[in-house]
Amino acid sequence: MKNSKNFNAYKTIGEVSREVGIPSHILRFWENKFEKLSKVKRRNNHRYYSSEDVKFINEIKKLIYTDGYTIKGVQSYLKNSKSKNVNNDNNNKFHSILIEIRDEIKFLINNN
């Protein structure tokens, strides 16, 4: 029986390189270009990546190799996506507050 890692276990740069089809020297380069790509260094200074890092690497790969973005283009895209997500979160919170206020008004009207 083959010994397999837990899906959520950290993976070496070599394992990630084979999994996503990106050479390890490119992954090291991307570490310098994308803050979110945070490797963990352990034993003998080896790089390890989480499952979230692997998802992020696949996102970068798609944007560059499939969608045709440059590194600067990906950085800009990710920055804009992050600010849109923050705005969406704020809009969702505001919407929830409005619903609560509406429900409270209905309750007050019905109980007077």
Side-chain angles (χ1 to χ4, degrees), residues 58-97:
N58 278 316
E59 183 180 357
I60 295 169
K61 177 184 174 184
K62 178 190 173 297
L63 290 169
I64 292 173
Y65 294 104
T66 304
D67 299 342
Y69 282 81
T70 62
I71 294 289
K72 285 190 183 270
V74 173
Q75 291 167 331
S76 178
Y77 174 86
L78 294 172
K79 183 179 178 184
N80 289 335
S81 294
K82 183 179 177 183
S83 66
K84 285 180 185 175
N85 288 339
V86 168
N87 287 338
N88 284 341
D89 288 346
N90 288 339
N91 287 340
N92 290 340
K93 288 176 187 173
F94 182 69
H95 183 70
S96 295
I97 291 169

